Amino acid sequence: MSDVIPHISCVKNLFVKQMLFRKAGDKEYGHAHCHDHLTLLTKGKLKITALGKDTDFDAPAHIYIKADVVHELTALEDDTIAHCIHALRNEDGSGDILDPTSIPDGITPPHEPLTRTWP
């Protein structure tokens, strides 16, 4: 197994993370997002593990992941490619994703940010 090769782009309110799984068995380890999102599987096969259940998907596929659900992606074929796609903010403009340590004292964001602590 090897690490997934990511490529990330953000345009306006759209986040896209492309993930290249070079070998079958490569994993994007368990994680959760603060937003509902889609994983767009464009090539190969993935096993999605969420809520203790495994589901296999063949490309092309749109895979729905609910907010705050820990999920793991495992390639079932070499050279599998998937894209994590989600908004960066909610419709009302709230939901900016900020590391709390990046907000200077005295600065109040326009909306309550969805804060996550990074290692």
Side-chain angles (χ1 to χ4, degrees), residues 16-116:
V16 178
K17 177 182 178 184
Q18 176 181 290
M19 297 166 283
L20 170 59
F21 300 79
R22 287 266 186 223
K23 297 291 182 188
D26 287 358
K27 291 181 185 282
E28 178 74 5
Y29 288 94
H31 62 283
H33 305 271
C34 7
H35 298 282
D36 290 352
H37 77 284
L38 286 177
T39 296
L40 172 61
L41 176 58
T42 56
K43 182 180 177 191
K45 295 182 180 188
L46 276 180
K47 175 175 69 175
I48 305 292
T49 304
L51 301 173
K53 297 183 180 181
D54 295 335
T55 308
D56 294 348
F57 292 91
D58 295 326
H62 292 180
I63 304 164
Y64 171 72
I65 306 292
K66 187 166 178 57
D68 299 317
V69 170
V70 175
H71 55 287
E72 182 171 273
L73 292 70
T74 305
L76 299 177
E77 290 184 353
D78 291 354
D79 297 318
T80 292
I81 300 173
H83 302 78
C84 174
I85 303 170
H86 64 78
L88 293 173
R89 295 173 194 86
N90 297 318
E91 290 177 19
D92 66 358
S94 66
D96 289 331
I97 303 170
L98 297 173
D99 179 340
T101 63
S102 71
I103 304 170
D105 290 339
I107 300 293
T108 303
H111 299 281
E112 185 64 28
L114 300 168
T115 55
R116 295 288 191 253

